[in-house]
Amino acid sequence: MVNGKVLLAALDQAALTETLATPSHSNVVIATRDRAEVERELSRVRAQGWALADEELAPGVRSIAAPVRDGHGVVKAAVNVTVHAAETSVEELTSRHLPALLKAASAISGDWARLEARPYESASDMTQRVL
């Protein structure tokens, strides 16, 4: 869920509207949220550069996530830290774990940019380098 917030926040308005209108193909039941509430949350994620899910997915589960960007600055993935709410407060999660998470996301993004900057012969050549 928290990675999804990061990925949704990176979409332009048209893509976000289309994505939110597409029914889920899973059997997971998601709590209904007001569209305006979702938009406010995604705006907050965009502005702060990371997302928090505090017991939204399941009781006792708290997560933070940060975007991973390609060499053009486009969000392509997200990384997250998940903790048990009884053991880690939101304050500890954001003050202790978030800086390390943001640093890791930045390092991965830098690696991605360096990989894209390397010359390669074909898309399959680049895929083999990644794998």
Side-chain angles (χ1 to χ4, degrees), residues 97-113:
H97 298 290
L98 180 59
L101 179 67
L102 293 172
K103 184 176 179 181
S106 178
I108 295 167
S109 297
D111 288 345
W112 197 319

PDB file of all heavy atoms in Angstrom, residues 97-113:
ATOM      1  N   HIS A  97      14.414   5.745  10.720  1.00  0.00           N
ATOM      2  CA  HIS A  97      14.455   4.902   9.524  1.00  0.00           C
ATOM      3  C   HIS A  97      14.307   5.684   8.216  1.00  0.00           C
ATOM      4  O   HIS A  97      14.881   5.298   7.210  1.00  0.00           O
ATOM      5  CB  HIS A  97      13.377   3.812   9.605  1.00  0.00           C
ATOM      6  CG  HIS A  97      13.574   2.878  10.755  1.00  0.00           C
ATOM      7  ND1 HIS A  97      14.592   1.956  10.814  1.00  0.00           N
ATOM      8  CD2 HIS A  97      12.892   2.741  11.923  1.00  0.00           C
ATOM      9  CE1 HIS A  97      14.523   1.282  11.940  1.00  0.00           C
ATOM     10  NE2 HIS A  97      13.498   1.736  12.640  1.00  0.00           N
ATOM     11  N   LEU A  98      13.528   6.756   8.231  1.00  0.00           N
ATOM     12  CA  LEU A  98      13.293   7.509   6.998  1.00  0.00           C
ATOM     13  C   LEU A  98      14.574   8.074   6.388  1.00  0.00           C
ATOM     14  O   LEU A  98      14.767   7.944   5.173  1.00  0.00           O
ATOM     15  CB  LEU A  98      12.258   8.614   7.223  1.00  0.00           C
ATOM     16  CG  LEU A  98      11.931   9.473   6.004  1.00  0.00           C
ATOM     17  CD1 LEU A  98      11.396   8.630   4.847  1.00  0.00           C
ATOM     18  CD2 LEU A  98      10.930  10.560   6.386  1.00  0.00           C
ATOM     19  N   PRO A  99      15.474   8.695   7.158  1.00  0.00           N
ATOM     20  CA  PRO A  99      16.703   9.207   6.529  1.00  0.00           C
ATOM     21  C   PRO A  99      17.505   8.112   5.817  1.00  0.00           C
ATOM     22  O   PRO A  99      18.011   8.326   4.704  1.00  0.00           O
ATOM     23  CB  PRO A  99      17.484   9.808   7.702  1.00  0.00           C
ATOM     24  CG  PRO A  99      16.432  10.178   8.689  1.00  0.00           C
ATOM     25  CD  PRO A  99      15.387   9.090   8.573  1.00  0.00           C
ATOM     26  N   ALA A 100      17.598   6.942   6.422  1.00  0.00           N
ATOM     27  CA  ALA A 100      18.322   5.828   5.787  1.00  0.00           C
ATOM     28  C   ALA A 100      17.597   5.352   4.538  1.00  0.00           C
ATOM     29  O   ALA A 100      18.229   5.025   3.520  1.00  0.00           O
ATOM     30  CB  ALA A 100      18.498   4.682   6.777  1.00  0.00           C
ATOM     31  N   LEU A 101      16.271   5.319   4.598  1.00  0.00           N
ATOM     32  CA  LEU A 101      15.480   4.904   3.438  1.00  0.00           C
ATOM     33  C   LEU A 101      15.655   5.884   2.279  1.00  0.00           C
ATOM     34  O   LEU A 101      15.863   5.472   1.133  1.00  0.00           O
ATOM     35  CB  LEU A 101      13.998   4.792   3.812  1.00  0.00           C
ATOM     36  CG  LEU A 101      13.068   4.379   2.678  1.00  0.00           C
ATOM     37  CD1 LEU A 101      13.346   2.938   2.247  1.00  0.00           C
ATOM     38  CD2 LEU A 101      11.620   4.542   3.107  1.00  0.00           C
ATOM     39  N   LEU A 102      15.596   7.177   2.570  1.00  0.00           N
ATOM     40  CA  LEU A 102      15.777   8.189   1.524  1.00  0.00           C
ATOM     41  C   LEU A 102      17.178   8.111   0.916  1.00  0.00           C
ATOM     42  O   LEU A 102      17.350   8.262  -0.294  1.00  0.00           O
ATOM     43  CB  LEU A 102      15.499   9.590   2.072  1.00  0.00           C
ATOM     44  CG  LEU A 102      14.050   9.867   2.459  1.00  0.00           C
ATOM     45  CD1 LEU A 102      13.941  11.214   3.180  1.00  0.00           C
ATOM     46  CD2 LEU A 102      13.138   9.819   1.244  1.00  0.00           C
ATOM     47  N   LYS A 103      18.163   7.844   1.759  1.00  0.00           N
ATOM     48  CA  LYS A 103      19.534   7.700   1.272  1.00  0.00           C
ATOM     49  C   LYS A 103      19.649   6.479   0.352  1.00  0.00           C
ATOM     50  O   LYS A 103      20.283   6.544  -0.706  1.00  0.00           O
ATOM     51  CB  LYS A 103      20.497   7.566   2.464  1.00  0.00           C
ATOM     52  CG  LYS A 103      21.943   7.519   2.076  1.00  0.00           C
ATOM     53  CD  LYS A 103      22.834   7.489   3.316  1.00  0.00           C
ATOM     54  CE  LYS A 103      24.295   7.412   2.919  1.00  0.00           C
ATOM     55  NZ  LYS A 103      25.172   7.366   4.107  1.00  0.00           N
ATOM     56  N   ALA A 104      19.029   5.379   0.749  1.00  0.00           N
ATOM     57  CA  ALA A 104      19.064   4.166  -0.080  1.00  0.00           C
ATOM     58  C   ALA A 104      18.348   4.389  -1.403  1.00  0.00           C
ATOM     59  O   ALA A 104      18.846   3.994  -2.466  1.00  0.00           O
ATOM     60  CB  ALA A 104      18.430   2.989   0.673  1.00  0.00           C
ATOM     61  N   ALA A 105      17.180   5.035  -1.371  1.00  0.00           N
ATOM     62  CA  ALA A 105      16.437   5.311  -2.617  1.00  0.00           C
ATOM     63  C   ALA A 105      17.257   6.202  -3.535  1.00  0.00           C
ATOM     64  O   ALA A 105      17.283   5.995  -4.758  1.00  0.00           O
ATOM     65  CB  ALA A 105      15.092   5.957  -2.287  1.00  0.00           C
ATOM     66  N   SER A 106      17.936   7.188  -2.967  1.00  0.00           N
ATOM     67  CA  SER A 106      18.776   8.079  -3.763  1.00  0.00           C
ATOM     68  C   SER A 106      19.942   7.314  -4.392  1.00  0.00           C
ATOM     69  O   SER A 106      20.277   7.530  -5.561  1.00  0.00           O
ATOM     70  CB  SER A 106      19.296   9.212  -2.879  1.00  0.00           C
ATOM     71  OG  SER A 106      20.140  10.059  -3.614  1.00  0.00           O
ATOM     72  N   ALA A 107      20.560   6.428  -3.624  1.00  0.00           N
ATOM     73  CA  ALA A 107      21.677   5.636  -4.151  1.00  0.00           C
ATOM     74  C   ALA A 107      21.216   4.720  -5.284  1.00  0.00           C
ATOM     75  O   ALA A 107      21.900   4.600  -6.308  1.00  0.00           O
ATOM     76  CB  ALA A 107      22.309   4.812  -3.022  1.00  0.00           C
ATOM     77  N   ILE A 108      20.071   4.094  -5.114  1.00  0.00           N
ATOM     78  CA  ILE A 108      19.531   3.222  -6.168  1.00  0.00           C
ATOM     79  C   ILE A 108      19.226   4.054  -7.413  1.00  0.00           C
ATOM     80  O   ILE A 108      19.539   3.652  -8.537  1.00  0.00           O
ATOM     81  CB  ILE A 108      18.278   2.471  -5.687  1.00  0.00           C
ATOM     82  CG1 ILE A 108      18.632   1.513  -4.549  1.00  0.00           C
ATOM     83  CG2 ILE A 108      17.616   1.716  -6.844  1.00  0.00           C
ATOM     84  CD1 ILE A 108      17.426   0.962  -3.789  1.00  0.00           C
ATOM     85  N   SER A 109      18.631   5.227  -7.212  1.00  0.00           N
ATOM     86  CA  SER A 109      18.331   6.115  -8.343  1.00  0.00           C
ATOM     87  C   SER A 109      19.615   6.523  -9.061  1.00  0.00           C
ATOM     88  O   SER A 109      19.656   6.566 -10.300  1.00  0.00           O
ATOM     89  CB  SER A 109      17.584   7.358  -7.856  1.00  0.00           C
ATOM     90  OG  SER A 109      16.333   7.007  -7.304  1.00  0.00           O
ATOM     91  N   GLY A 110      20.656   6.820  -8.307  1.00  0.00           N
ATOM     92  CA  GLY A 110      21.940   7.166  -8.905  1.00  0.00           C
ATOM     93  C   GLY A 110      22.514   6.020  -9.711  1.00  0.00           C
ATOM     94  O   GLY A 110      23.030   6.213 -10.822  1.00  0.00           O
ATOM     95  N   ASP A 111      22.411   4.803  -9.172  1.00  0.00           N
ATOM     96  CA  ASP A 111      22.875   3.628  -9.908  1.00  0.00           C
ATOM     97  C   ASP A 111      22.085   3.446 -11.196  1.00  0.00           C
ATOM     98  O   ASP A 111      22.638   3.106 -12.247  1.00  0.00           O
ATOM     99  CB  ASP A 111      22.745   2.362  -9.053  1.00  0.00           C
ATOM    100  CG  ASP A 111      23.768   2.293  -7.934  1.00  0.00           C
ATOM    101  OD1 ASP A 111      24.767   3.054  -7.967  1.00  0.00           O
ATOM    102  OD2 ASP A 111      23.563   1.480  -7.002  1.00  0.00           O
ATOM    103  N   TRP A 112      20.788   3.664 -11.125  1.00  0.00           N
ATOM    104  CA  TRP A 112      19.925   3.528 -12.297  1.00  0.00           C
ATOM    105  C   TRP A 112      20.351   4.534 -13.367  1.00  0.00           C
ATOM    106  O   TRP A 112      20.483   4.195 -14.545  1.00  0.00           O
ATOM    107  CB  TRP A 112      18.481   3.766 -11.896  1.00  0.00           C
ATOM    108  CG  TRP A 112      17.449   3.289 -12.868  1.00  0.00           C
ATOM    109  CD1 TRP A 112      17.476   3.380 -14.236  1.00  0.00           C
ATOM    110  CD2 TRP A 112      16.215   2.646 -12.564  1.00  0.00           C
ATOM    111  NE1 TRP A 112      16.343   2.846 -14.775  1.00  0.00           N
ATOM    112  CE2 TRP A 112      15.550   2.392 -13.780  1.00  0.00           C
ATOM    113  CE3 TRP A 112      15.588   2.301 -11.381  1.00  0.00           C
ATOM    114  CZ2 TRP A 112      14.302   1.791 -13.841  1.00  0.00           C
ATOM    115  CZ3 TRP A 112      14.355   1.694 -11.446  1.00  0.00           C
ATOM    116  CH2 TRP A 112      13.715   1.434 -12.660  1.00  0.00           C
ATOM    117  N   ALA A 113      20.592   5.768 -12.953  1.00  0.00           N
ATOM    118  CA  ALA A 113      21.014   6.815 -13.896  1.00  0.00           C
ATOM    119  C   ALA A 113      22.357   6.454 -14.536  1.00  0.00           C
ATOM    120  O   ALA A 113      22.535   6.622 -15.755  1.00  0.00           O
ATOM    121  CB  ALA A 113      21.109   8.156 -13.183  1.00  0.00           C
TER     122      ALA A 113
END
